[in-house]
Amino acid sequence: MKKIIKITFYDFDGVMTNNKVYVDQKGNEMVQVNRADGLGVSEIRKLGLQQIILSTERNPVVSARADKLGIPCLLGIDNKKEALMDYCDKNDIDLNNVAFVGNDINDKEAMEIAGTAFCPADAHESIIEISDHILGRKGGDGVIRELFDFLAENKGD
């Protein structure tokens, strides 16, 4: 039976970024994102899929990016598995219809319960091992844009 993806959860650091942070002398943090991922989010929206960022990060840069992309964001999440289950339960979403894009061990439990797990090419080895699809792009280098291509190509299968 083919799994139909209805919602995609994204980790932020290491998926939408290269997992690096710039810190200035005042302690302000800044990350680099890829505009191609913004296009990917827009195109995935056209496919009718919901999207949400689920991040352990508490820095408002994550919610600022989510606002710019026009997608919801759950920020400062310590247990992504519990947050994913809670969100899906409250919104009547079957976990089999969930895709999760993650890159490191704090994503693992959520990825294991999602119907489909994706990861960037430079994800931690333990994440690569459990992923259904390993994308060719590294984190921050157009992962979401590549995900769109995959989803569009496999939409009718």
Side-chain angles (χ1 to χ4, degrees):
M1 181 174 102
K2 179 171 172 43
K3 295 178 186 173
I4 298 170
I5 297 172
K6 294 185 178 180
I7 186 168
T8 303
F9 287 83
Y10 305 117
D11 176 36
F12 187 72
D13 289 317
V15 172
M16 292 188 167
T17 77
N18 63 2
N19 219 15
K20 296 179 181 175
V21 63
Y22 302 94
V23 182
D24 71 15
Q25 66 275 19
K26 294 181 181 179
N28 297 312
E29 294 184 3
M30 184 172 44
V31 297
Q32 178 178 315
V33 295
N34 190 309
R35 288 195 184 271
D37 284 338
L39 178 63
V41 167
S42 294
E43 294 300 313
I44 290 170
R45 183 180 295 117
K46 292 177 187 175
L47 295 176
L49 276 68
Q50 298 176 55
Q51 300 167 84
I52 187 166
I53 295 172
L54 182 59
S55 180
T56 56
E57 182 59 53
R58 287 170 166 71
N59 191 306
V61 71
V62 182
S63 54
R65 183 63 177 157
D67 289 345
K68 173 116 183 177
L69 296 172
I71 61 175
C73 174
L74 298 176
L75 195 63
I77 301 300
D78 292 323
N79 187 318
K80 292 182 181 184
K81 176 183 175 181
E82 286 181 13
L84 179 110
M85 289 172 35
D86 185 55
Y87 185 91
C88 289
D89 185 53
K90 287 179 180 174
N91 291 281
D92 197 29
I93 299 168
D94 187 319
L95 289 172
N96 286 316
N97 300 127
V98 171
F100 195 103
V101 187
N103 74 302
D104 215 332
I105 59 173
N106 61 336
D107 301 315
K108 188 173 183 181
E109 289 183 338
M111 292 174 74
E112 288 175 331
I113 65 165
T116 309
F118 293 88
C119 73
D122 61 345
H124 187 269
E125 182 179 304
S126 65
I127 298 303
I128 289 173
E129 289 174 1
I130 66 159
S131 292
D132 298 301
H133 304 283
I134 302 158
L135 300 165
R137 300 279 182 167
K138 292 181 178 180
D141 195 28
V143 169
I144 309 305
R145 178 62 185 82
E146 182 181 344
L147 176 66
F148 163 69
D149 287 339
F150 177 89
L151 294 172
E153 289 170 10
N154 293 284
K155 188 172 184 200
D157 292 349

